[in-house]
Amino acid sequence: TVPNVTFYSSVNVFERTKVRGGVDEWRSYVSTDPGKSQHVQDNILDDIDMELGNRNIRDWTHAERARLFGTCCNDKTTRGGYPSIATVAKADSLPRIACNLTRQEFYEQYEVPRKPVMITGCADTWPAMTEWTYDKLATRFSNYSHWRARIGDGPEDYQNGVEWKDIAHHMQNNMRFYVFDQLEDGEAKTLENDYEIPDPIKGADLYAEMKKRGHFFAGPLRWFAMGKLGSGTKPHNDPYASDAWNTLIRGHKWWIIWPEGVTEDDHLEYIRCDETCSNFEPFVREWASAIGINAARTEYYPGQYAEHVLQRPGETIYVPDGRLHTVFNLDSTIAITANYGTAANLDSVWEAACFDGITDIKARIMYNLVLNSEQRAHVRQTRFWPMEVACTKPGYRTSKVAKKQREDFPIQSLSNAFYDKDWSPKVGDTAEVRYKGDVNEYYRGTITRASHGTYDVLYGDGDRNYKLPRRALARFRIYNTGELVDVYDERSDQWHLAIVRQPVPGSDDEIEVMRYGQNNIDVVLSDKFRRFDWKFRSGNRVLAKFLDDETRWYPGTVVEDRGNGRFSILFDDGDVASAHRD
């Protein structure tokens, strides 16, 4: 019995099931929001009746019945109807464990069975617990440092390059904002000194070696998150087959974690807003008030319901790969979160490393430098083996023999004259730019801002970099016949080494190239080129001679500086060998 609630339920038509073994069922749903019950009476039943072609209610799918909860995502009907901190706390049944578990214990008890859990005590001694407050952070960074964030009451799309002064203004004036930044900016990276990976997860990341060598998926998969009441995320699965940990420093977060097997694609009816009565792009707060609050009322599989979880300051939540989830800030919050690949999910992690990028370099780093002998034997039994065939996208050269048929290439053609000390870049200049300022790949771009020795750049594909140092820019030079470059193939979404032949007669921006090691002649737009400075640093691309073959150059990546001018090279076909800088 629910106090102070008058219960009404009626049946207009109820026909017995005529199919042997069928189930006769009548369900009554109770909502504490009168707006939702009114919406059910006035709109939902008629809409569903039309959509289903007047099918009898006993023929509705489970998802169609779930819509009776009310799915109008707009502030008019939801009226900020997300739950209080106390309400989520009452619904929370996620187990809590202490942070003193060993790595092996955590692996066996939670990662292997793929069980979400809340870990307590990991952040007790972190500087972040005292240094990460709105007041202290507001003055910690320079006004013009750049962050990935969304501010104000407009669309909830993230913007790269939001200046800190604008974020601080919203922080200090109780205005809506949400920061979700990977800490790649020089100033932002100082936050790394204030926390560490929780002990039960430390050393677990199978992606760590490729991150260390600059072969990220889409950044280092680590985020600083900060936002006001009403900010957060809609239902999603984390990328790259990764597990996640999230440590909350300030405030309270409301998590919804769906049962294993529930996906966005297959269970869209359970989690989507009704387009007929929702805003065009509903805010997170509108989704949470209309659908999130009812998530645990639906039985997705027999006995399987979504979980409501309250995360408190100092707690670390672990969410395994494959668990659909959403996060909502119940007050002003600050958190650090990261994704990692665990051996408990090796099949999916190996597949993610195998298929991401333009080559199989990530898989080779993982196989050669990370996996133990037992794990190597396991991945060799999967369908993603051998690497040179299974881990490359359609159209990429997969034959190991073909990869070894390289052109002779004179070393003097690789000497670079990138840094021109007499050039003073200015706004509007075309430049060749090291993307993000710290890799050895130079892309063509236009300078959009020059201030105090730093530069903002707009690339041809619309991407931007902000506050790059002078050393990251070079004067644009025309492409010369015989020069070795990388060219982008839109059809295969890959970069290929190629040799410049000649400009296309009568065209200002088309150039003939020949694929390196092949006889194919392609015509490529000049803004689809990139150059290398061929510096010998770990993670950088090079050409090197292989062992006793003193006549040919093979593309590869520097793995390690061994001293005395020698380097370990991971060649594109998977071979690893030592080469001298000459």
Side-chain angles (χ1 to χ4, degrees), residues 342-389:
T342 172
N345 195 30
L346 182 57
D347 284 353
S348 297
V349 168
W350 176 250
E351 180 181 356
C354 190
F355 279 114
D356 185 80
I358 61 173
T359 70
D360 52 6
I361 184 65
K362 291 183 177 65
R364 293 198 175 279
I365 290 174
M366 183 178 293
Y367 184 84
N368 291 316
L369 303 177
V370 180
L371 302 184
N372 59 34
S373 58
E374 182 180 344
Q375 292 164 342
R376 291 181 185 180
H378 179 85
V379 300
R380 289 197 298 269
Q381 301 305 311
T382 70
R383 60 191 178 93
F384 308 110
W385 188 269
M387 289 180 285
E388 62 270 15
V389 175

Side-chain angles (χ1 to χ4, degrees), residues 245-306:
W245 62 266
N246 179 302
T247 300
L248 185 61
I249 307 300
R250 292 278 180 273
H252 298 80
K253 287 181 180 288
W254 165 32
W255 291 72
I256 303 171
I257 305 175
W258 279 266
E260 190 171 4
V262 175
T263 65
E264 282 186 86
D265 293 337
D266 295 340
H267 299 84
L268 183 62
E269 288 287 342
Y270 295 104
I271 60 176
R272 73 173 179 178
C273 298
D274 184 347
E275 296 177 356
T276 64
C277 59
S278 300
N279 289 336
F280 174 64
E281 292 184 355
F283 291 109
V284 170
R285 65 178 183 271
E286 296 170 335
W287 181 92
S289 300
I291 298 177
I293 199 168
N294 291 306
R297 294 176 175 172
T298 296
E299 186 179 30
Y300 296 90
Y301 300 109
Q304 296 293 308
Y305 297 84

